[in-house]
Amino acid sequence: MLFGKSVNRYYFKYWYFFLMGAIALVVVDIAQMEIPNITGYIIDEITTKTLTYDYLVKNILNFAIIIVIMFFGRFFWRMNIFNCGHLIANDLRQRMFKKMEYLDQTYFNENKTGAQMALYTNDLMIVRQCFSQSIMMLVDAVFLGILAFAKMFMLNKVLALLAAAPLLLLAVLGILVSKYMRQKWEARQKAYSDLSDFAQENFSGFGVVKAFVKETKELIAFNRLNRNNQNKNLEHARLSVLVSICVSLLISSIIILIGGVGSYLVYLTNTTDVYYMSLGDLNRYISYFSSLVWPMMALSNLITISAQGKASLQRIDTVLKRDSLVKDAKDVIKGANLEGKIEFKNLTFTYPGVDEPTIKDMSFVIEKGEAVGIIGRTGSGKSTIVDLLVRLYNVEEGSVFIDDFDIMKLPIKDVRELISFVPQDNFLFSDTILNNIAFSKEKLSLEEARKHAKVAGVDGDVMEFPEQYETVMGERGVTLSGGQKQRISISRALAKDSKVLILDDSVSAVDTKTEATILNNLKQMHGEKTLIIIAHRVSTIQNLDKIILVDDGKVVSIGKHDELYENVPMYRDIVDLQKLEDQEHEVIPC
């Protein structure tokens, strides 16, 4: 059986299933133990030549009743106990997913996708087995074992004690092996996680692999991980087989002992006047011991599954016990009417696990309804500004404000509802284009979706697809071009209709003409909405209300395009360099 803070509740929640299953299993065991008894009496009747037709028919009817009881009993206990295992696995899976949905970004930076998926497959499967097979094994090992041994003891005390001696050795073996089995299972699961993670990354990045002609290199790397997974599985299998062999040897030795001593006792009974054991008694005894074999094997399997279950539950507990670093404060301000004014006051921020701060003493104000551009070199901290605004990470109190409310005192949900965000990676779900655009809404009509798509300049592209807005995209939108993914992502953000719209380098994959159309549409429709555009191209932001120039995590200057070009050398260099690049890419007619 499996115990732990995250699973103990299920013994109370599903006690009825456990109890009914255990009762049915006990009834089957009691019925099963009557078979050797009836068989032994028939053999004794045959041996003494006193068997009658009526006696035989009576016992055949008894056999039939026992078979019916065992049939329905086994069906009932399996339906209860095995079903309970599936219910627990389903509940755990739901709890794990819910927990992951609310965990902070740091957790996913530390744990890869493939390793997390292994929790939902191998680890949950083992936990399910612990709550189904292990409970069945425990009940059988205890009740059937005790019942069989008691009947053996009543038949012949000496033989029963001789058979019991190896059981103590088996118990000692189980205690010694259990911890080692758990270590082997943990290593096996780790190898499987590494393999899953590599495969997941390779499938997601297959375009890069093919573009760089690295299929052979990836095959070699996969082969190395696959062999490691194979070796860890074999190590675990070898230990499991060794335990089974030891149990089998113990059982075989006991059977030989019983057969030899029991036969001698039958011989003494037939050749002397003292009654030791009849042939029917020997048959009953061997049958009882055969019934005892399964509990002994079940005990061995119970040791293995319990060790595996503890290792798997420990991995699952790392998720269930993980507390999100980003959560609402105890003195959270509820009911604040947020409009979209944003202010950074001397903000310094360092990513978890990093020594140097990414944002250094940054201060600026974005008024409600302003259209603001943020520009700077790669790695200057532009995207970090957005990550902090949508509360993916914590900041120091008194450093970021929304409508003069400290962002750390506002409910996370309210902050995120305020903002429509188009991230750099433009992640799209493997669903229809319509459902991707309507992601933030319970229901969005086709007309509304098309309206937002027209603003983003992608409606024409979508209408050319055979299925139009019902087109199902591949994983992460792989069937679309980069520009189409960006514009559908913008449409999705527009459909949310929040008071703040943030585009993080979200028009970089479209041509300058399409970019100008999108930006013009956004500026016309944003009205009182606050618009923040992070860009590398000056053309993307030059016509906005103001531009924030950042470098090395600091604000270099704030102003309009012309002001910055005139007064800030760094901004002028960026503009002149991009003009030069544009001139070099112009097509000169022949």
Side-chain angles (χ1 to χ4, degrees):
M1 296 178 71
L2 194 60
F3 295 98
K5 288 185 178 179
S6 57
V7 295
N8 288 343
R9 66 180 70 181
Y10 297 121
Y11 292 106
F12 298 98
K13 184 175 182 180
Y14 299 113
W15 67 270
Y16 175 84
F17 293 104
F18 287 125
L19 180 61
M20 291 298 100
I23 291 173
L25 189 55
V26 169
V27 170
V28 170
D29 289 342
I30 293 173
Q32 180 181 333
M33 295 307 294
E34 284 302 309
I35 295 176
N37 202 34
I38 296 172
T39 305
Y41 284 128
I42 292 175
I43 291 174
D44 282 340
E45 292 292 317
I46 294 173
T47 304
T48 58
K49 298 181 180 181
T50 57
L51 180 63
T52 63
Y53 176 80
D54 292 339
Y55 185 80
L56 184 60
V57 170
K58 176 185 175 182
N59 283 286
I60 290 174
L61 290 175
N62 289 336
F63 276 132
I65 294 172
I66 291 172
I67 291 171
V68 171
I69 292 173
M70 291 178 64
F71 173 81
F72 286 102
R74 283 177 175 169
F75 177 81
F76 192 75
W77 75 253
R78 290 183 184 185
M79 283 295 295
N80 279 275
I81 295 180
F82 287 172
N83 180 55
C84 196
H86 286 286
L87 289 173
I88 291 170
N90 179 71
D91 193 272
L92 263 179
R93 188 181 295 108
Q94 189 71 24
R95 288 170 58 197
M96 288 166 61
F97 188 78
K98 181 180 179 181
K99 185 71 173 183
M100 284 187 173
E101 284 289 289
Y102 288 96
L103 284 176
D104 56 272
Q105 188 66 35
T106 304
Y107 175 83
F108 295 99
N109 293 340
E110 296 171 353
N111 299 276
K112 295 183 178 181
T113 304
Q116 298 308 294
M117 293 308 298
L119 297 176
Y120 288 89
T121 52
N122 276 13
D123 289 309
L124 267 181
M125 178 191 70
I126 292 300
V127 171
R128 175 177 58 79
Q129 289 179 350
C130 279
F131 279 98
S132 54
Q133 295 183 20
S134 64
I135 290 177
M136 175 268 294
M137 292 173 186
L138 180 64
V139 173
D140 255 1
V142 173
F143 188 82
L144 185 59
I146 292 174
L147 188 60
F149 184 77
K151 288 184 174 291
M152 290 166 59
F153 192 80
M154 286 187 290
L155 277 173
N156 192 289
K157 297 180 178 58
V158 176
L159 274 180
L161 293 174
L162 288 174
L167 293 177
L168 297 175
L169 182 60
L170 181 62
V172 174
L173 178 67
I175 295 172
L176 295 175
V177 169
S178 178
K179 185 177 180 180
Y180 195 50
M181 284 287 291
R182 180 177 176 179
Q183 293 173 351
K184 290 294 183 183
W185 180 255
E186 289 175 345
R188 177 183 180 276
Q189 291 296 83
K190 176 64 168 57
Y192 179 77
S193 296
D194 293 342
L195 184 67
S196 298
D197 189 64
F198 183 87
Q200 186 271 333
E201 283 189 344
N202 219 263
F203 296 151
S204 298
F206 77 97
V208 177
V209 174
K210 292 183 181 298
F212 284 84
V213 199
K214 290 297 181 181
E215 292 90 343
T216 303
K217 175 179 175 293
E218 296 302 299
L219 280 170
I220 293 171
F222 182 82
N223 182 58
R224 183 174 64 253
L225 290 171
N226 197 26
R227 284 187 176 275
N228 180 57
N229 182 60
Q230 172 188 303
N231 292 335
K232 297 303 181 184
N233 274 278
L234 287 175
E235 288 177 9
H236 180 265
R238 288 191 191 103
L239 185 58
S240 298
V241 169
L242 180 62
V243 172
S244 297
I245 290 173
C246 291
V247 173
S248 298
L249 286 174
L250 285 171
I251 292 170
S252 299
S253 64
I254 298 171
I255 290 175
I256 294 171
L257 183 65
I258 290 173
V261 176
S263 299
Y264 180 69
L265 293 176
V266 172
Y267 168 76
L268 289 177
T269 300
N270 293 332
T271 57
T272 65
D273 294 333
V274 181
Y275 181 85
Y276 293 98
M277 179 178 282
S278 69
L279 187 60
D281 289 340
L282 180 59
N283 180 79
R284 278 195 290 271
Y285 194 92
I286 293 175
S287 296
Y288 291 146
F289 181 77
S290 297
S291 298
L292 189 63
V293 168
W294 160 243
M296 294 173 68
M297 296 296 294
L299 184 61
S300 172
N301 293 332
L302 185 62
I303 293 168
T304 302
I305 292 179
S306 296
Q308 294 173 359
K310 289 177 182 177
S312 292
L313 183 61
Q314 188 176 31
R315 288 159 54 85
I316 291 173
D317 278 344
T318 58
V319 177
L320 296 178
K321 292 180 180 179
R322 177 74 176 249
D323 190 22
S324 180
L325 300 176
V326 179
K327 54 186 177 182
D328 289 338
K330 293 181 179 179
D331 54 344
V332 65
I333 302 171
K334 296 181 180 179
N337 184 25
L338 303 180
E339 295 294 334
K341 177 187 174 183
I342 296 168
E343 183 178 2
F344 278 39
K345 286 185 179 180
N346 307 114
L347 170 67
T348 296
F349 172 75
T350 304
Y351 280 105
V354 179
D355 296 329
E356 294 296 322
T358 304
I359 300 293
K360 306 168 186 175
D361 195 29
M362 182 175 286
S363 299
F364 62 82
V365 178
I366 299 175
E367 297 293 342
K368 169 192 170 183
E370 273 192 315
V372 178
I374 301 177
I375 194 169
R377 297 188 180 96
T378 301
S380 58
K382 302 185 298 298
S383 295
T384 302
I385 293 173
V386 182
D387 289 345
L388 301 181
L389 279 177
V390 295
R391 284 297 311 275
L392 293 183
Y393 299 94
N394 292 323
V395 296
E396 291 185 6
E397 290 188 10
S399 57
V400 179
F401 294 85
I402 296 179
D403 294 317
D404 300 323
F405 294 106
D406 191 331
I407 195 172
M408 293 300 294
K409 297 294 181 64
L410 291 171
I412 294 174
K413 184 178 179 181
D414 290 356
V415 172
R416 292 174 181 169
E417 288 288 355
L418 176 74
I419 299 171
S420 293
F421 174 40
V422 184
Q424 282 184 346
D425 62 357
N426 303 297
F427 182 90
L428 296 176
F429 296 93
S430 182
D431 201 344
T432 64
I433 294 176
L434 177 60
N435 288 343
N436 268 277
I437 295 175
F439 183 68
S440 63
K441 302 289 184 180
E442 290 293 331
K443 189 175 182 181
L444 187 72
S445 68
L446 178 60
E447 291 72 22
E448 291 176 302
R450 290 196 65 184
K451 180 184 73 173
H452 299 304
K454 286 175 181 177
V455 175
V458 75
D459 179 68
D461 295 48
V462 175
M463 294 305 290
E464 290 179 0
F465 297 149
E467 301 294 328
Q468 298 179 349
Y469 280 83
E470 293 301 320
T471 300
V472 178
M473 298 176 292
E475 186 178 4
R476 302 177 69 92
V478 70
T479 55
L480 303 176
S481 69
Q484 289 170 337
K485 286 195 288 187
Q486 284 189 335
R487 286 175 285 163
I488 290 175
S489 296
I490 293 173
S491 304
R492 179 173 60 190
L494 293 173
K496 187 180 177 184
D497 194 27
S498 299
K499 295 180 180 179
V500 178
L501 174 62
I502 301 177
L503 308 182
D504 187 0
D505 202 23
S506 300
V507 288
S508 59
V510 300
D511 58 80
T512 53
K513 183 179 178 180
T514 305
E515 176 191 52
T517 302
I518 295 171
L519 294 175
N520 185 55
N521 292 340
L522 289 175
K523 199 167 185 184
Q524 286 181 3
M525 61 89 55
H526 92 278
E528 294 187 357
K529 295 179 184 292
T530 304
L531 176 62
I532 301 174
I533 300 178
I534 296 175
H536 285 92
R537 292 197 304 225
V538 175
S539 60
T540 306
I541 60 173
Q542 63 183 4
N543 296 320
L544 301 183
D545 297 332
K546 67 183 179 185
I547 297 171
I548 300 174
L549 176 63
V550 298
D551 187 55
D552 193 27
K554 301 177 181 177
V555 174
V556 177
S557 186
I558 301 175
K560 289 184 176 294
H561 170 72
D562 293 338
E563 295 172 358
L564 294 177
Y565 186 81
E566 183 69 27
N567 301 317
V568 183
M570 179 182 172
Y571 185 78
R572 188 184 311 120
D573 290 343
I574 293 174
V575 175
D576 292 343
L577 181 60
Q578 291 188 7
K579 284 181 179 179
L580 181 61
E581 289 175 350
D582 291 340
Q583 291 173 3
E584 291 176 349
H585 286 89
E586 287 181 358
V587 179
I588 302 175
C590 297

